[in-house]
């Protein structure tokens, strides 16, 4: 029987961290081999499975990321941008693959991740669900097909605890639309509107952000033309979906060359 892939979860006490512990613990192809939290967290010293609500799994949450990462095959990271870069550098040194779900990454964070990806496979995706990955491909295709007389607007809603806006997924959908149109998102994006904005410029890609309650993640991309409107919507109703995608991505890295990969690569969708 093939050896189970050893997975390490950083940020194991977070909303997603606990889902990841559960998903890795339940998968037949991998085993949870380590878990960390930020130094000072109340979770340090506790059993990761107990925190995740699946009973004891014999993996204690630690605060020494370097020691944990040194003995796993892949690290799954849904934490915060600076922590993610630190973990990626450790993974590059240790030869462990990285799966990154953290959002709110800036260009300098991405640059650091590209550095790590020269040494190990690194999968980065603002949304690990198969449905959203497919939605991104569809948005790119629709944007390529329709001309700029169709206005593109991207709406998203998330729970009240989310700290970044627009969501990483909304920005990813914007990048997909911009790529379909062969334009640069940074130039085309209107991230928010307020006051006397004037008429909508042709070619703009607009964003609208809603926050509230316990919404896991809703995204709609609107293509509004003269006399018609196409709306593509994805609604996530459980975070477990993202954890399942992340574990799938970790298993996919086995035997892969170093490089920066996306969920489209993991799912084998054409880019
Ligand atoms: P959260 O705040 O509940 O969890 C983050 C955890 O990371 C916390 O427990 C925190 O203590 C821990 N952490 C921070 N610094 C750390 C460090 N240096 N070492 C170890 N642990 C550290 O947040 P969340 O809702 O779980 O979301 C986490 C991230 O994942 C966010 O960026 C969110 O947008 C993103 N997210 C991505 C997807 C996806 O599919 N890609 C889905 C959901 C959430």
């Amino acid at each position: 029987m093939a050896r189970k892939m050893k997975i390490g979860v950083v940020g194991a006490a977070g909303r997603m961290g606990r889902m990841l512990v559960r998903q890795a613990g339940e998968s037949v192809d991998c085993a949870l081999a380590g878990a960390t939290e930020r130094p000072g967290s109340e979770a340090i010293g506790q059993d990761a499975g107990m925190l995740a609500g699946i009973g004891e799994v014999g993996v204690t949450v630690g605060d020494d990321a370097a020691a944990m990462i040194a003995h796993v095959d892949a690290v799954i990271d849904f934490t915060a941008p600076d922590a993610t870069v630190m973990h990626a550098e450790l993974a590059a040194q240790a030869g462990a693959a990285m799966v990154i779900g953290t959002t709110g990454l800036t260009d300098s964070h991405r640059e650091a991740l590209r550095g790590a990806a020269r040494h190990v496979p690194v999968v980065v995706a603002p949304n690990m669900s198969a449905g959203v990955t497919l939605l991104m491909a569809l948005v790119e295709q629709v944007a390529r097909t329709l001309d700029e007389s169709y206005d593109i607007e991207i709406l998203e809603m998330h729970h009240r605890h989310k700290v970044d806006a627009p969501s990483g997924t909304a920005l990813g959908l914007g990048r997909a639309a911009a790529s379909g149109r062969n334009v640069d998102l940074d130039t085309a994006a209107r991230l928010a509107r307020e006051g006397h904005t004037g008429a909508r410029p042709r070619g703009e890609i607009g964003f609208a952000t809603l926050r509230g309650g316990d919404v896991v993640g809703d995204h709609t991309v609107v293509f509004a033309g003269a006399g018609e409107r196409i709306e593509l919507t994805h609604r996530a109703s459980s975070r477990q979906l993202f954890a399942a995608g992340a574990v799938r991505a970790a298993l996919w890295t086995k035997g892969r060359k170093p490089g920066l990969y996306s969920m489209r690569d993991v799912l084998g969708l054409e880019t």
Side-chain angles (χ1 to χ4, degrees):
M1 207 176 78
R3 183 177 76 83
K4 284 190 174 193
M5 182 185 243
K6 289 193 212 164
I7 304 269
V9 174
V10 290
R15 277 181 292 268
M16 278 307 301
R18 280 173 281 157
M19 294 284 167
L20 291 161
V21 165
R22 179 180 304 181
Q23 192 70 29
E26 286 172 357
S27 163
V28 290
D29 300 313
C30 64
L32 181 72
T36 65
E37 254 299 333
R38 97 194 118 66
S41 160
E42 285 178 4
I44 309 291
Q46 296 191 45
D47 185 274
M50 293 301 281
L51 283 169
I54 56 167
E56 218 164 286
V57 293
V59 175
T60 305
V61 177
D63 62 2
D64 187 346
M68 191 280 271
I69 291 172
H71 75 269
V72 298
D73 301 312
V75 178
I76 307 184
D77 185 325
F78 285 60
T79 59
D82 290 343
T84 296
V85 165
M86 185 256 294
H87 293 138
E89 282 164 359
L90 293 172
Q93 284 163 24
M98 272 299 280
V99 173
I100 297 168
T102 307
T103 62
L105 301 169
T106 62
D107 286 345
S108 76
H109 294 121
R110 286 179 189 283
E111 188 52 40
L113 297 184
R114 269 192 289 278
R118 281 197 282 275
H119 305 279
V120 289
V122 178
V123 180
V124 187
N127 194 307
M128 298 270 171
S129 97
V132 162
T133 308
L134 186 58
L135 178 65
M136 296 219 183
L138 289 172
V139 164
E140 186 169 335
Q141 191 188 343
V142 176
R144 187 176 299 123
T145 310
L146 302 175
D147 65 20
E148 284 193 349
S149 68
Y150 286 79
D151 299 323
I152 302 178
E153 292 284 306
I154 301 172
L155 266 82
E156 59 107 333
M157 179 158 187
H158 282 84
H159 54 90
R160 60 168 73 104
H161 304 289
K162 187 161 178 63
V163 294
D164 51 322
S167 71
T169 303
L171 292 168
L173 289 164
R175 269 193 294 278
S179 145
R181 274 195 176 165
N182 232 344
V183 296
D184 180 26
L185 182 65
D186 291 339
T187 321
R190 171 70 76 101
L191 298 177
R193 296 190 183 93
E194 192 187 49
H196 185 83
T197 58
R200 188 188 200 286
R202 189 180 161 95
E204 192 168 85
I205 297 178
F207 291 82
T209 300
L210 284 75
R211 291 285 173 266
D214 59 358
V215 178
V216 173
D218 291 356
H219 293 89
T220 296
V221 182
V222 181
F223 295 85
E228 67 174 358
R229 201 156 78 226
I230 299 171
E231 298 183 356
L232 299 174
T233 296
H234 179 273
R235 295 189 204 283
S237 49
S238 161
R239 279 195 182 81
Q240 203 61 46
L241 171 80
F242 307 128
V247 168
R248 178 172 175 172
L251 292 168
W252 178 88
T253 61
K254 192 174 176 183
R256 235 15 96 175
K257 282 196 299 228
L260 201 56
Y261 299 100
S262 70
M263 265 325 259
R264 283 205 206 181
D265 298 314
V266 173
L267 297 181
L269 293 175
E270 277 179 33
T271 45

